[in-house]
Amino acid sequence: MAPTVRCPRHHGDVRTNPSTLGRRALLIAGAAGLVAGCSGGPGATVAAPAAGSTPRLPSSPPSSTGPVPWGDLRRHVRGLLRRPGDAGYNRVRRTENPRYDDNHPLAVLTVASASDVAIAVTWARDHGVPVAVRSGGHSYPGWSAGGAPGTGMPSALVLDCRDLDRVAVHPSGTASIGAGAALARVYDVLGNRGRALAGGSCATVGISGLALGGGVGVLTRAMGLTCDAMRSLEVVTADGRLRVVDPDRHPDLFWALRGGGGGHLGVVTSLRFATTAAPTLTTFYLGWPFSAAARVIEAWQDWAPDADPRLWSTLKALGGGAHPGGPTLLLSGTWTGPTGTLDRQLAGLLAHAPAPSVRTTHVRGYHEAMMTYAGCATIPASRCHTGPGGSLTREAFAATSHVGYEALPSAGIAELLGEVERAQSSGLHEAGISMDALGGHVRDLSPTETAFVHRRALMTVQYTATYSGQRGHDASAYVRRFRSTLMPYWGDHAYVNYADRAVRHHRTAYFGANAARLAAVKRAYDPDNFFDQPQGY
């Protein structure tokens, strides 16, 4: 049986509404603005536009009425345009979440270059065609599906950038990565070159979707957020110019793109990251009977965020049909310190919690460890995906989030456990909560140094539900109820990469005090609000 992809950990794609210029253009940028790496992927032969330039565009006059001239777009791009009825359309229209498989976009363009992206966006704007842009395809609300029922999105032209997956490691140790590159590919290329980048554990998430919203993952505390390693980007802004963005050129835009989420300010076409020497990782797994959950949660939240920065952990309480014997409590983590010293680090937890009933430990190199986290330990990297020839399968899910600044009191822990127990009778496959420790090197920067504001938080929190059949509504209701239950303790803070339309005060929830500065950057680079999305600045 193929491994199942359960990756509601990473935000998918964001959307833009009709522009105030009346052009009715929509842009959904994968959690990262468009896609990094749109300057060319395997087989791409069209050169990207030079920085500061505007690519050659179709000569058709702007129009929002009359027949849509799809032939004009087809003639001016290098990538393959598929419309309903074309061979391959039903394959390329799919996202990573089967929940949105009833989408029927107007067309799907597999982009081959940054020029393709610029041409398609301008063509769509001029002809009043909604556009959805897909990087990894992990949109929580389904905004990259191009018009799936229930998403609030119209049928659209999807710009699918998942094939733009070039990863290049430079002699300086920096890496240029196309944002269509899935994390499994990133880790495979970097690891085989002896380099490392902090990121998440889901094999099929696009790097841009992770990085532009911040980027939490299994090495967060040891190495910082993914966006902290970002050194420069190439971005197509609302005026159609391709800009090189770094601390010296467009510094305000650079600040905003490190944690402000995607799709607000332009289309990212490539990113460059600093990498580090690949460490040896000690990975560990602990499990307890659910009867011990209250004591373990209390001990974990007092210990994990202030543990040695080289130690990261996530604590999960899960129920549902996958756990017929009752809910389960498990902890997994990574230690990048000296091999053989993990026990001393775990002592701070285990001295205040019951002894685990399950404990396993493995020492692995970076490449092996990250591929194991991705579910691809025994799968060649070339097959670590869900597309044709891939060995992974998809699973439908719903999810939402919190960012916790305070430890839950005993009353809050009791309510958390009650919600996990409710999963047993929910009809869902697996549902519950995951708490990922922050702290460590996330705190090296102040909350205002990048757009990611939650530097002082204790943890990011996900409420997740996987399911089969027609239980999408039940899954969404479950995770949102869970979040609502804990709002008296954790407030309304949320993580932009785990977007949820039900987050009411999204600006402060995602961006806190940085929301005002993000709005100012927005006015500077997109004064006409072309990139206008539901949860904007």
Side-chain angles (χ1 to χ4, degrees), residues 341-366:
T341 62
L342 176 62
D343 285 352
R344 291 202 298 270
Q345 301 302 321
L346 292 178
L349 169 67
L350 298 181
H352 303 282
S357 55
V358 177
R359 178 170 177 172
T360 61
T361 304
H362 298 278
V363 177
R364 298 181 171 104
Y366 171 83

Side-chain angles (χ1 to χ4, degrees), residues 3 184 187 200-203 218 281 283 362-379 384:
Y187 299 146
S201 58
C202 182
V218 301
L281 305 181
T283 61
H362 298 278
V363 177
R364 298 181 171 104
Y366 171 83
H367 182 275
E368 182 185 3
M370 298 309 292
M371 297 304 284
T372 299
Y373 271 124
C376 299
T378 61
I379 300 171
C384 191

